[in-house]
DNA sequence: GTTTAAAACAAACGATTGTTTAATATGGAG
DNA sequence: CTCCATATTAAACAATCGTTTGTTTTAAAC
């Protein structure tokens, strides 16, 4: 192996782990499986990353870093709210579309019992998106209304991530060699669209519409004091 | 132990597994941990359930069974759409509130590589909710519009489940003995409402509003052919 | 050529895994 | 009391786990 190829070992481990974690979850994937998938010796994992959990941390850090760069400042106070929603939705869809596996690993609620992972996620959550806060203000939403904030907290991210998770899972199921009766039926009945740029342009438009009008409808809704 | 207490061993195993799976995910929980938590001998797990995966299957079956009973027929064609949304949302919130752990385990996308689990979920997914399909029709939504159906597929379930997952995770984090700087900050800044009946009455009302008006806004939206 | 540092390998450690097997305990019926 | 079925236990199996350790290989610098 040339020097270039050697430098790739760390990346291959990272990519293998990412793919496996997305498919099976962190705990179900062992270091030997990662090493085998990456075509490296098992010791390379500790050599390049330290402990297994450090791979997960690297993935989470990459994901959140990308995420915040994608959505940090979308539009400004002069952007009309509806346009701003559209921009935010587009950015989010783009982000999750390009980083489906990454997002699946990093945004997964579990595990919630590994202290350093919980810490890491909470640290990242401190950097809230300025764009969404401004948007709420532009729309006249009372951000001190605890109930409303609970309803809308993370709604867009959740909906879009779930869409891509479902797509990812279905794609994986289609690749399985042995397909049971139910899976065959499921894949037969489902109309699977072509997930091209055109599809996602429309998807984003419709979702932005739904979200914007939904938000608007609750602006004047009076919660009890 | 009396006979009654003996009969409880199976239930204790089930409850222990449910709680642990919800917190850590299926793969991160071992049979010995479940047995210890349930205060039974390790062999009891195979005695009462067979293989470990059969516990997960039992949980998934219970959850989906409850879920479909909760949401199968809510209102009918004569129920005004907005009222029907309200009823559906209330039922869903009620279901997820009372079965948070159960739902977290069963609705979790992962693992997607255990054939029998994938099978089971797909089998359950065949029984779609009649209420939501009727609702779309009532509102004038074109259910053959693939893009729209992709946007709204499972939106309510997703939003509500995510709310309760976040609540669950936060509760767990609060119970951890050692709290890092970030966690302390996080818990200090967050205004945690009292999640009582009143809160969820308002939550449901606001979410129903958001969803109904969102749906209505996309009814007339023309997707490209 | 030698030296050095980095990369890669193989073996091993202590621990844990899901599951099986054989033995024992328990409780109900007769 | 005995008998039988069920519940429970402890030991064990083959396998895997994350990580460490020592050795070898590789590549770059001199």
């Amino acid at each position: 192996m040339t020097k270039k190829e050697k430098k790739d070992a760390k990346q291959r481990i990272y990519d293998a782990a990412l793919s496996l974690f997305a498919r099976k979850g962190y705990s179900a994937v062992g270091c030997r499986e990662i090493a085998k998938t990456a075509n490296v010796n098992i010791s390379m994992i500790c050599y390049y990353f330290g402990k297994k959990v450090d791979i997960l941390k690297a993935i989470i850090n990459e994901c959140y870093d990308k995420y915040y760069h994608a959505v940090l400042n979308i539009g400004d106070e002069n952007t009309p709210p509806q346009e701003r929603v559209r921009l935010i939705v587009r950015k989010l869809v783009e982000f999750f579309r390009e980083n489906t596996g990454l997002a699946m690993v990093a945004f997964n609620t579990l595990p919630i019992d590994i202290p350093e992972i919980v810490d890491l996620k909470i640290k990242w959550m401190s950097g809230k998106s300025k764009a969404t806060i401004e948007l709420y203000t532009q729309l006249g939403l009372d951000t001190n209304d605890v109930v409303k904030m609970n309803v809308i907290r993370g709604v867009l991210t959740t909906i879009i991530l779930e869409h891509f998770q479902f797509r990812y899972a279905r794609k994986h199921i289609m690749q399985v060699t042995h397909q049971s009766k139910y899976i065959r039926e499921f894949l037969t009945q489902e109309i699977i669209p072509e997930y091209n740029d055109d599809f996602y342009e429309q998807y984003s438009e419709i979702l932005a519409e739904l979200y914007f009008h939904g938000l608007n409808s609750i602006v004047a809704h009076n919660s009890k004091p």
Side-chain angles (χ1 to χ4, degrees), chain A:
Chain A
M1 293 219 216
T2 65
K3 191 172 185 181
K4 181 170 188 293
E5 285 164 342
K6 282 177 187 171
K7 279 193 176 174
D8 280 346
K10 181 173 183 179
Q11 189 62 42
R12 289 204 316 275
I13 292 169
Y14 184 87
D15 294 339
L18 177 57
S19 174
L20 290 165
F21 290 166
R23 184 148 71 242
K24 306 183 173 197
Y26 170 74
S27 302
V29 181
C31 292
R32 286 168 177 83
E33 189 177 7
I34 296 170
K36 186 176 174 184
T37 304
N39 194 28
V40 297
N41 183 275
I42 178 70
S43 302
M44 290 296 91
I45 291 176
C46 294
Y47 182 80
Y48 282 113
F49 287 95
K51 297 169 179 295
K52 181 187 166 188
V53 74
D54 293 329
I55 314 180
L56 182 58
K57 281 173 163 180
I59 292 170
I60 290 172
N61 279 328
E62 191 199 348
C63 181
Y64 277 99
D65 189 54
K66 279 191 175 183
Y67 177 74
Y68 283 113
H69 274 96
V71 305
L72 197 59
N73 295 307
I74 305 181
D76 56 29
E77 323 84 64
N78 299 318
T79 315
Q82 190 162 13
E83 181 59 24
R84 204 165 193 182
V85 169
R86 214 175 261 132
L87 291 172
I88 292 172
V89 172
R90 272 172 169 267
K91 277 293 182 180
L92 283 177
V93 170
E94 188 182 319
F95 169 78
F96 283 110
R97 186 176 171 204
E98 284 172 11
N99 303 282
T100 304
L102 189 67
M104 281 175 74
V105 176
F107 282 86
N108 194 349
T109 306
L110 301 177
I112 58 172
D113 66 328
I114 305 182
E116 53 200 307
I117 297 297
V118 176
D119 256 25
L120 190 59
K121 288 187 177 179
I122 286 180
K123 196 167 70 167
W124 274 112
M125 272 165 64
S126 309
K128 298 187 179 175
S129 170
K130 183 187 162 195
T132 52
I133 303 294
E134 280 182 2
L135 177 67
Y136 299 156
T137 307
Q138 273 178 303
L139 285 170
L141 262 176
D142 176 13
T143 53
N144 289 319
D145 185 324
V146 171
V147 183
K148 282 183 188 170
M149 296 316 289
N150 262 269
V151 171
I152 65 181
R153 193 195 69 84
V155 160
L156 271 183
T157 300
T158 299
I159 293 173
I160 300 168
L161 175 60
E162 175 56 29
H163 165 80
F164 285 104
Q165 281 192 139
F166 184 71
R167 193 185 76 160
Y168 183 94
R170 183 165 49 186
K171 188 176 168 187
H172 181 262
I173 290 166
M174 282 170 69
Q175 290 170 351
V176 172
T177 315
H178 295 293
Q179 291 181 347
S180 73
K181 178 180 89 173
Y182 299 110
I183 293 183
R184 264 182 269 122
E185 273 179 31
F186 173 70
L187 294 177
T188 300
Q189 290 170 6
E190 279 270 305
I191 300 167
I192 306 181
E194 191 175 347
Y195 291 122
N196 51 25
D197 289 351
D198 192 45
F199 176 89
Y200 281 112
E201 202 169 298
Q202 290 177 68
Y203 178 90
S204 302
E205 281 296 309
I206 292 167
L207 180 58
E209 199 87 353
L210 183 148
Y211 186 67
F212 176 72
H213 290 286
L215 279 193
N216 258 314
S217 74
I218 67 174
V219 168
H221 191 106
N222 292 312
S223 301
K224 292 205 291 199

